[in-house]
Amino acid sequence: PGEEPAGDGAEPWARGLRNSNNNASPGGWLGPRGRRPFTPFGARSPGTEPSYLERVVLEIVESERTYVRDLRSIVEGYLGKIIDAEEPLLQPEQVSTLFGNIEDIYELSSNLLQTLDSCDNDPVAVAVCFVTRSQEFDIYTQYCNNYPNSVAALTECMRNKQQAKFFRECQEQMRHALPLGAYLLKPVQRILKYHLLLQEIAKHFEHKSGDDYEVVVEAIDTMTCVAWYINDMKRKHEHAIRQQEIQSLLLNWKGPDLTTYGELVLEGTFRVQRVRNERAFFLFDKALLITKRRGDHYVYKNHIPCSSLMLIESTRDSLCFSVAHYKHIKQQYSLQAKSVEEKRVWTHHIKRLILENHHAIIPQKAKEAILEMDLFYPPRLPRYSPERLKKSWSCQPLEEMSAEPRQGRRQS
């Protein structure tokens, strides 16, 4: 609701500005470093049109103002009324799950808006606001990880007539067109949008060099890293939950807790040669787990440590590949993927984990060279196993392979 990107990659507001002011050049600002002085909107001569860039900066500030208003409606219009109610409508744990740390996010955004307002729409000063607050945005990780639980809690509340009535009344009192669920999604949307808004500043910056431009680039990098980190933590959180679920559904397993094998990397179902039923495979950081599906459960069949895992890619069938314990090559599993892309993803990660789990110290360049083969699909693909890889690395000294590039050679 409200925060979806446009189909051509540009924000709706940006497309409108582009259409209405195609020839607008990004004006200069501030004066000290040879830039033209920046004129705040309030001090602009009547009838003077703001540049495209100035409109972009204004959009960042005004959209933050709208966002803070939406957060306030959640904190005061819903959460506050639940806390102040004479008779508790929800259990404390329900409230905690439903709203997460929304109050902390409201406080952060209120302070950010106050700082943005003091920037007088100077794009460099706006960029500095995000750079200096980079650590504070970590609180979004907790909110985003909790968001699926929040959705589930709200769904449960709406099944309760009394609670559903309360939420509808709150919505009517605030004259909101959208229900609470749409507002609880806004922090997830907003934190993943900051770097896109800042990119619009850089795109229309007059001089693509100098200290001021570097500040804008640093702000983009900062908020891109925040978005990436939150997405990565969310993925790891989801995988951890799935790992616990697999553990609870696994039958005949006598090994340690699956968490000892690290993070769940991939899972999939494959047809296996000479086996009647499909097999469910779970690839962890340190082991490949092979199971058979039985209803909602998984029956343990075998597992291979990644330090002993061997991969054989078929040269005859673009969908087939085999895995085995490198000491028991005759007991290999020949798998058929559903697509070339699925095969590529699985073989890539299997190779990566073979390399990462091998007991020898492998130069980073050797790892990259082997993994880069995935991009080219050579006509004859080799077998990958710890022993095979060890022999290939022994062709030249490790010191030479890990040495720094010679002077003048381009570094990746």
Side-chain angles (χ1 to χ4, degrees), residues 34 40 59 101 188 190 222 248 252 256 271 278 294 331 374:
E59 166 63 21
N101 60 335
V188 179
R190 187 64 177 173
T222 296
S248 66
N252 300 339
R271 291 181 59 185
E278 291 185 331
R294 182 187 291 172
Q331 301 175 15
D374 296 338

Side-chain angles (χ1 to χ4, degrees), residues 138-377:
D138 286 349
I139 62 173
Y140 275 90
T141 305
Q142 179 183 339
Y143 187 89
C144 293
N145 281 340
N146 178 70
Y147 178 71
N149 300 326
S150 174
V151 173
L154 182 58
T155 302
E156 190 64 29
C157 287
M158 296 309 289
R159 292 194 183 115
N160 181 297
K161 290 183 179 180
Q162 185 181 6
Q163 293 173 353
K165 181 175 181 250
F166 169 78
F167 287 129
R168 282 195 298 270
E169 288 175 351
C170 290
Q171 180 182 345
E172 290 172 2
Q173 288 173 7
M174 289 182 288
R175 298 180 180 178
H176 282 176
L178 299 173
L180 174 60
Y183 284 83
L184 291 173
L185 176 62
K186 288 181 182 290
V188 179
Q189 295 174 320
R190 187 64 177 173
I191 192 62
L192 300 178
K193 188 176 179 181
Y194 284 123
H195 69 289
L196 301 176
L197 293 168
L198 291 166
Q199 282 172 1
E200 284 292 316
I201 291 182
K203 192 185 300 183
H204 300 280
F205 213 81
E206 186 175 20
H207 301 294
K208 299 289 194 291
S209 62
D211 293 343
D212 296 328
Y213 184 70
E214 289 301 316
V215 170
V216 176
V217 171
E218 185 179 358
I220 294 170
D221 290 345
T222 296
M223 298 314 296
T224 300
C225 285
V226 169
W228 180 89
Y229 177 77
I230 287 173
N231 275 326
D232 191 52
M233 289 298 103
K234 187 173 182 294
R235 177 186 60 80
K236 288 183 176 181
H237 180 71
E238 291 169 350
H239 281 199
I241 293 174
R242 176 58 179 157
Q243 194 170 11
Q244 294 171 3
E245 184 180 4
I246 295 166
Q247 179 83 52
S248 66
L249 299 173
L250 190 57
L251 304 177
N252 300 339
W253 170 250
K254 302 189 184 304
D257 192 287
L258 292 180
T259 56
T260 61
Y261 292 120
E263 184 185 343
L264 175 64
V265 179
L266 291 172
E267 66 173 282
T269 304
F270 296 92
R271 291 181 59 185
V272 179
Q273 189 176 351
R274 294 191 298 275
V275 175
R276 179 182 299 177
N277 297 317
E278 291 185 331
R279 292 287 183 261
F281 287 76
F282 300 95
L283 182 62
F284 297 93
D285 284 332
K286 298 183 183 299
L288 176 66
L289 177 64
I290 304 161
T291 70
K292 176 183 176 182
R293 192 75 184 259
R294 182 187 291 172
D296 293 332
H297 290 80
Y298 299 97
V299 180
Y300 168 73
K301 304 301 287 186
N302 196 4
H303 77 285
I304 307 171
C306 288
S307 58
S308 304
L309 189 59
M310 185 171 188
L311 170 67
I312 306 165
E313 294 194 59
S314 172
T315 57
R316 296 180 180 179
D317 191 328
S318 61
L319 298 179
C320 291
F321 62 98
S322 300
V323 292
H325 193 295
Y326 77 93
K327 290 184 177 179
H328 309 289
I329 187 61
K330 292 182 180 179
Q331 301 175 15
Q332 63 182 262
Y333 293 83
S334 299
L335 285 62
Q336 184 178 33
K338 296 177 180 62
S339 66
V340 173
E341 176 63 16
E342 183 181 41
K343 175 185 173 179
R344 189 194 68 79
V345 170
W346 273 82
T347 55
H348 173 83
H349 283 288
I350 289 172
K351 286 179 217 174
R352 176 178 65 82
L353 294 172
I354 289 174
L355 293 168
E356 290 180 0
N357 285 277
H358 190 57
H359 57 80
I361 298 175
I362 305 168
Q364 184 62 29
K365 288 184 182 178
K367 294 181 183 179
E368 291 173 357
I370 292 168
L371 295 177
E372 279 177 3
M373 295 177 67
D374 296 338
L375 302 176
F376 303 107
Y377 290 104

Side-chain angles (χ1 to χ4, degrees), residues 13-117:
W13 55 268
R15 288 188 305 179
L17 293 176
R18 187 185 308 138
N19 294 337
S20 64
N21 195 14
N22 288 329
N23 298 318
S25 61
W29 328 267
L30 301 170
R33 298 173 191 152
R35 294 177 293 172
R36 292 195 296 255
F38 173 75
T39 306
F41 290 144
R44 188 176 299 280
S45 303
T48 304
E49 284 292 323
S51 70
Y52 185 98
L53 180 58
E54 289 166 345
R55 294 189 185 192
V56 170
V57 174
L58 182 63
E59 166 63 21
I60 292 176
V61 179
E62 292 306 314
S63 62
E64 190 67 22
R65 197 182 316 283
T66 301
Y67 175 52
V68 170
R69 186 170 62 246
D70 291 339
L71 292 175
R72 184 188 303 120
S73 69
I74 300 173
V75 172
E76 297 179 359
Y78 288 97
L79 179 57
K81 290 181 180 178
I82 291 173
I83 295 173
D84 295 338
E86 294 182 2
E87 296 183 7
L89 289 166
L90 285 78
Q91 297 297 320
E93 58 271 17
Q94 282 183 298
V95 177
S96 178
T97 302
L98 182 57
F99 294 99
N101 60 335
I102 193 73
E103 291 175 291
D104 295 333
I105 290 176
Y106 173 47
E107 182 180 359
L108 168 61
S109 291
S110 297
N111 293 334
L112 175 62
L113 176 61
Q114 189 175 0
T115 311
L116 290 172
D117 274 334

